[in-house]
Amino acid sequence: PHQAMLHAVRQLAGSTYTVDVAQESKIAPLASKQLMQHSPGTIRVLKEGWETPLHIDSKHSNAWVALRKELCGEKVKLGMHTSLREVTRFRAISGNSFAASAILTLHAPEREANPVDLRVYRTRWPALLGNCSVRTVDAYGTGVRFLLSHFPQHTLRSPLLMRGDPGDLYLFNSEYFHDTPKVIGESRRAVFNSFLSYSAHSKALELYG
């Protein structure tokens, strides 16, 4: 599926941009000029009962942790064995100003019970940074998860509903709050999930997952 992802993104980018898998310099003696290629993405098979909670994906997740402590006195838990400096370890993340989520559907669940794959809400994280009624579950390398019961209900109205059939690719700004509904029934959903990293000053688009 990584070749299908690369081909699809290259078609979208046209001749204006180059598209490739992100690379890192190896951190080892005498290896400073060698490059280590990132994984182009992750295959996720979502079976019955699987859902992802309300969250954002952003290279600025560490900013949420620091600023929430300053503005609201909230001590955000760090999950997945990460630290506030996690993002700085990877040039593919820290070297570009933004990364969009890219999701390629490999297998769709039974659609009568599962009409929607993803809900993207119409609020980006900076808008709620100073809202101290919001409660954070935890933060990790490139994301933050939130407690739905302590989230402003008006921000959850009229989400953008996304659905992908096999072979469909969609990209979206994952700095907007989003979640995935619970998979119902035995028919599974399978996707190839990547991030597409870029900067306004660059003509290079980089995939990592």
Side-chain angles (χ1 to χ4, degrees):
H2 69 280
Q3 290 297 333
M5 175 69 80
L6 279 168
H7 177 71
V9 174
R10 283 169 179 159
Q11 282 190 311
L12 289 172
S15 59
T16 305
Y17 299 92
T18 62
V19 179
D20 218 326
V21 178
Q23 295 182 324
E24 298 284 342
S25 296
K26 289 185 177 179
I27 304 173
L30 305 178
S32 60
K33 294 184 179 181
Q34 292 181 307
L35 294 176
M36 176 178 64
Q37 196 171 64
H38 274 268
S39 164
T42 304
I43 294 177
R44 302 182 188 276
V45 179
L46 314 178
K47 60 183 182 179
E48 184 175 12
W50 177 275
E51 61 183 328
T52 54
L54 187 67
H55 68 288
I56 59 167
D57 298 298
S58 173
K59 62 173 283 183
H60 303 296
S61 61
N62 57 346
W64 176 274
V65 175
L67 291 173
R68 287 291 290 184
K69 184 176 180 180
E70 179 69 23
L71 295 172
C72 296
E74 184 183 23
K75 188 175 181 180
V76 176
K77 175 185 174 184
L78 294 175
M80 301 186 187
H81 305 288
T82 58
S83 72
L84 289 176
R85 300 183 66 186
E86 186 75 13
V87 169
T88 63
R89 295 175 52 211
F90 302 103
R91 185 211 57 80
I93 303 174
S94 62
N96 286 309
S97 57
F98 181 77
S101 285
I103 300 176
L104 174 65
T105 300
L106 305 178
H107 184 274
E110 192 279 316
R111 282 305 183 193
E112 186 172 346
N114 302 274
V116 173
D117 294 331
L118 176 70
R119 294 181 293 237
V120 182
Y121 301 98
R122 301 173 188 271
T123 302
R124 190 167 157 264
W125 68 267
L128 296 184
L129 191 57
N131 186 331
C132 297
S133 67
V134 172
R135 286 292 174 265
T136 311
V137 174
D138 63 0
Y140 46 96
T142 55
V144 186
R145 293 183 284 206
F146 301 91
L147 195 61
L148 187 60
S149 60
H150 286 73
F151 210 78
Q153 291 302 301
H154 71 275
T155 64
L156 302 177
R157 296 176 191 145
S158 303
L160 177 65
L161 304 178
M162 303 183 75
R163 156 185 165 162
D165 293 322
D168 287 348
L169 168 68
Y170 54 84
L171 292 88
F172 71 100
N173 183 344
S174 52
E175 290 194 345
Y176 282 80
F177 297 98
H178 58 284
D179 60 15
T180 62
K182 183 181 294 185
V183 176
I184 299 173
E186 296 182 359
S187 178
R188 300 181 178 186
R189 176 181 172 229
V191 299
F192 188 71
N193 189 188
S194 298
F195 289 99
L196 185 63
S197 180
Y198 63 93
S199 295
H201 62 271
S202 174
K203 296 297 183 181
L205 305 180
E206 298 182 310
L207 282 169
Y208 64 90

